[in-house]
């Protein structure tokens, strides 16, 4: 299994180093979303549409025989038209996603406790997720651990998380409304670690919220909030979890009580 993945897992990074015919950096600043139509087809109906979430950076490279996107930070959705002779790759962290005739989002955490974590969520169609872990990492894994690097196929309504080592987590199924919530200005927390929830709000606005205690960071939260409702979220926490808010100037730390 490991030997077979070495070639497939690294194909995206190898194509990244060759010379594209078109390259462009796309950025959405904190608090804004950006919609982009790629110049990857002759007609508008066939062009790929990207939507960048708040605080997101994507580098696009178009080659004569393939299209490669690098999600450097944040989250972006890709609406890719039905298959043609140009495969479409999305690289993020230690994962590569391939699929056409599909709509899916890829999120990449660059800083904080979630640094290196990549989340792939499929809204429509089917995609293949491959680990881009180094050959040394894969080769040194035991037989069972090696299964963490095996390519996965995701269909509509499914989500998968890859860690910073390229290990692919368990595929989970969730409602379409949860996958598309961020594009509608909502954040859905479902069995979500508190640290991850705080990061989501910070991506959309300066909240002043911080979580430093590992035990507190791991507490689970549920609920739906608007992307600008960090104050309401923070105010609700003491009633939801065994925590209190400790304010020091512009910073509010969530601590155990």
């Amino acid at each position: 299994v490991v030997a077979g993945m070495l070639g497939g897992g690294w194909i995206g990074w190898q194509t990244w180093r060759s010379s594209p015919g078109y390259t462009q950096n796309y950025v959405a600043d904190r608090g804004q979303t950006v919609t982009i139509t790629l110049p990857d087809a002759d007609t508008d109906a066939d062009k790929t549409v990207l939507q960048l979430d708040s605080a997101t950076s994507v580098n696009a490279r178009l080659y004569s025989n393939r299209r490669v996107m690098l999600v450097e930070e944040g989250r972006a959705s890709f609406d890719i038209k039905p298959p043609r002779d140009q495969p479409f790759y999305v690289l993020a962290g230690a994962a590569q996603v391939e699929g056409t005739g599909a709509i899916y989002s890829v999120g990449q955490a660059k800083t904080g406790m979630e640094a290196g974590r990549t989340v792939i969520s499929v809204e429509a169609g089917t995609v293949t997720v491959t680990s881009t872990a180094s050959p040394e990492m894969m080769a040194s894994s035991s037989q069972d651990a090696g299964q963490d690097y095996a390519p996965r196929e995701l269909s509509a309504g499914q989500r998968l998380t890859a860690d910073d080592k390229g290990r692919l987590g368990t595929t989970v199924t969730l409602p379409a409304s949860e996958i598309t919530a961020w594009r509608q200005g909502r954040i859905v927390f479902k069995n979500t670690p508190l640290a991850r929830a705080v990061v989501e709000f910070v991506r959309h606005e300066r909240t002043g919220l911080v979580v430093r205690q590992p035990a507190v960071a791991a507490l689970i939260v549920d609920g739906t909030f608007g992307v600008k409702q960090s104050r309401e979220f923070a105010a609700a926490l003491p009633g939801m979890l065994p925590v209190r808010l400790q304010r020091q100037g512009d910073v509010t730390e969530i601590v155990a009580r």
Side-chain angles (χ1 to χ4, degrees):
V1 172
V2 172
M5 290 184 290
L6 297 182
W10 282 91
I11 185 171
W13 297 108
Q14 291 170 351
T15 61
W16 188 257
R17 289 193 292 266
S18 53
S19 299
Y22 172 91
T23 182
Q24 182 67 51
N25 290 314
Y26 298 113
V27 176
D29 293 329
R30 188 197 303 266
Q32 68 174 187
T33 59
V34 176
T35 300
I36 298 142
T37 300
L38 289 179
D40 61 344
D42 294 331
T43 63
D44 289 344
D46 293 329
K47 292 178 179 177
T48 298
V49 178
L50 279 62
Q51 185 168 350
L52 275 58
D53 196 4
S54 174
T56 294
S57 176
V58 175
N59 186 284
R61 296 191 176 194
L62 306 181
Y63 303 82
S64 61
N65 61 351
R66 61 195 180 276
R67 297 160 289 172
V68 184
M69 309 290 122
L70 174 63
V71 179
E72 298 173 321
E73 183 177 13
R75 175 169 49 197
S77 69
F78 303 86
D79 183 351
I80 309 161
K81 303 310 182 285
R84 58 178 190 265
D85 59 355
Q86 288 184 317
F88 196 102
Y89 300 102
V90 178
L91 307 176
Q96 170 186 283
V97 188
E98 180 183 3
T100 57
I103 304 174
Y104 57 92
S105 64
V106 179
Q108 169 65 20
K110 191 173 183 179
T111 60
M113 292 183 175
E114 298 289 305
R117 176 176 171 272
T118 304
V119 180
I120 301 99
S121 305
V122 181
E123 181 180 343
T126 301
V127 304
T128 300
V129 182
T130 306
S131 171
T132 59
S134 69
E136 293 79 12
M137 177 73 71
M138 293 186 185
S140 65
S141 298
S142 66
Q143 178 102 15
D144 291 339
Q147 298 304 312
D148 295 339
Y149 301 108
R152 309 283 180 80
E153 187 172 275
L154 299 183
S155 300
Q158 293 186 321
R159 172 176 291 169
L160 180 148
T161 300
D163 68 12
D164 59 346
K165 302 294 192 300
R167 292 175 297 214
L168 306 183
T170 302
T171 299
V172 299
T173 301
L174 62 164
S177 59
E178 188 172 337
I179 293 176
T180 61
W182 68 271
R183 301 213 308 270
Q184 300 162 4
R186 295 182 294 113
I187 303 175
V188 178
F189 301 129
K190 188 174 181 181
N191 295 321
T192 304
L194 179 57
R196 190 179 307 165
V198 169
V199 168
E200 278 297 313
F201 281 112
V202 171
R203 290 181 57 250
H204 293 277
E205 60 180 354
R206 298 187 185 280
T207 67
L209 292 174
V210 297
V211 183
R212 298 189 178 99
Q213 300 173 353
V216 173
L219 293 173
I220 299 300
V221 296
D222 293 281
T224 301
F225 297 85
V227 296
K228 300 290 188 179
Q229 290 186 315
S230 61
R231 290 184 180 179
E232 291 82 350
F233 171 75
L237 285 177
M240 298 165 53
L241 302 171
V243 300
R244 61 186 176 86
L245 305 181
Q246 184 171 289
R247 294 183 175 87
Q248 294 183 345
D250 295 332
V251 175
T252 299
E253 183 177 359
I254 306 169
V255 300
R257 70 164 183 255

